[in-house]
Amino acid sequence: MDMVIDEMRKAFRKRPPILKCECNVCEESQNNTCITDGLCYTEIHGKNGEISYTYGCLNRQQFLPPEDIPFVCRDQKYGVQCCFHDYCNRDLLPALPTENEKYEVTLGGYETSLIAFSCVVVLMLVFIFFFCIRYQKEKLRRNCRSDIEANHENRIPLMDTRISELRNCTTSGSGSGAPSSSSPHYTPRKVTLVEMRGKGGPPFGGGVEGLPTTPFSALSSPSQTRTKNRGERGGKKRKDNGTWTQLWLVTDYHPNGSLFDYLSKTTVDVATMYTMALSIANGLAHLHLEILGTQGKPALTPDLKSKNILVKRDGTCAIAPWNGGALDSSPDVTSPQPEGGHVLWEIARRCNVDGIYEEYQLPYYDMVPSDPSVEEMRKVICDAKLRPPCPNRWQSQESLRVMSKIMKECWYQNAAARLTALRIKKTLAALGVQKDMKI
């Protein structure tokens, strides 16, 4: 077969640039003649015991494979014969293929070589891909180990290190390298507290080589829960001063700081306002949800306020895992979560619409001292039933009007009438896809 194809290729290369062929499928005006730059062919057909032939031209642009003898010309099983000089197909009488021959596939040397080469290339690419992945993992493991074993003075602050990367740095406990713990979330790094924050609970540290840290008693370890809009607790560090033992939670580092810090120096546009509000509602809904099972969690009521909310690089927010002061606790004395409306109020004040916005203030800033007690907040919220004022301009701007409506529904005196975190989440999610931003 290969010798026959080689002979056909020789004749194919010597063919004239333009051929005239017998054609019985052409228009009558062409006198049963077609002109081509390819070849002439005859095809046999058998139907109901009757034999018929088709004569015609096959142009070069129709060749498969290109610039070579077409497959249909190479084997009698296709019922086609080809030739390469004028009107040569008049005398061709291809044989009618049998049923078995129609479904046989025979590849020539060219096709076999092409398939083999393609397989080799694919295998090489797969090998290179997996080699690169393995190399990157090994490089990350070596970097983590060398960073752990290096002196603290020579370390580079890991300001962009994520908790998942810190987990990869733990050893197997074989005795070589850095010390490890039986806990999969243990972070074997030297911890240095850089900044103390907060009040009303344990001190809060800002610095495990650039990562925020929360100390808490080993006797009362808080629940380990994670969600996209809650500060992830991915590592812990044990500290023993001889009198008691503290476990320090290590969270992801967010350079924008708390929502309080961010809004104090930055305004936001309407899209960012909705993004922040939706992410806070999402985290709050997760905390309020009770999850049953071995990896479950109870329903939690966080100390929600702008100082306990972190702003991520993409503008979304995460509820931080630390405690806070009276401002957020006192509204919750009689009913659940009106403080969610307070956070929305803080964000809405800093929403810049056509260059107009309010300066940043905490809720009730004009009603209580800068560092109010629980009793002072109770008198304002529960006894006097006062709420933060909404500027008049919010009613003339649709986005702010909608936000003010949501926050006011969080402030109803009747706790049963207030919006739940899940309802706020669904409402804000629906607003995000509505062009007119209307409820």
Side-chain angles (χ1 to χ4, degrees), residues 323-365:
N323 299 325
L327 180 58
D328 201 61
S329 302
S330 56
D332 202 37
V333 172
T334 60
S335 56
Q337 297 307 326
E339 65 270 24
H342 296 156
V343 174
L344 298 183
W345 181 84
E346 294 177 62
I347 298 174
R349 282 181 60 89
R350 299 297 284 163
C351 182
N352 188 338
V353 179
D354 297 329
I356 303 175
Y357 54 89
E358 286 76 35
E359 64 177 1
Y360 179 75
Q361 295 289 355
L362 288 171
Y364 308 103
Y365 70 96

Side-chain angles (χ1 to χ4, degrees), residues 254-308:
H254 301 296
N256 288 327
S258 68
L259 183 62
F260 172 84
D261 297 329
Y262 187 80
L263 295 177
S264 296
K265 58 187 178 182
T266 308
T267 61
V268 298
D269 56 21
V270 172
T272 304
M273 175 181 67
Y274 275 107
T275 298
M276 287 182 166
L278 178 58
S279 58
I280 293 171
N282 186 52
L284 196 59
H286 171 77
L287 291 175
H288 287 178
L289 178 65
E290 180 181 6
I291 301 177
L292 303 177
T294 56
Q295 299 296 323
K297 74 167 187 67
L300 302 173
T301 301
D303 181 17
L304 187 68
K305 63 179 183 179
S306 56
K307 291 184 179 180
N308 286 356

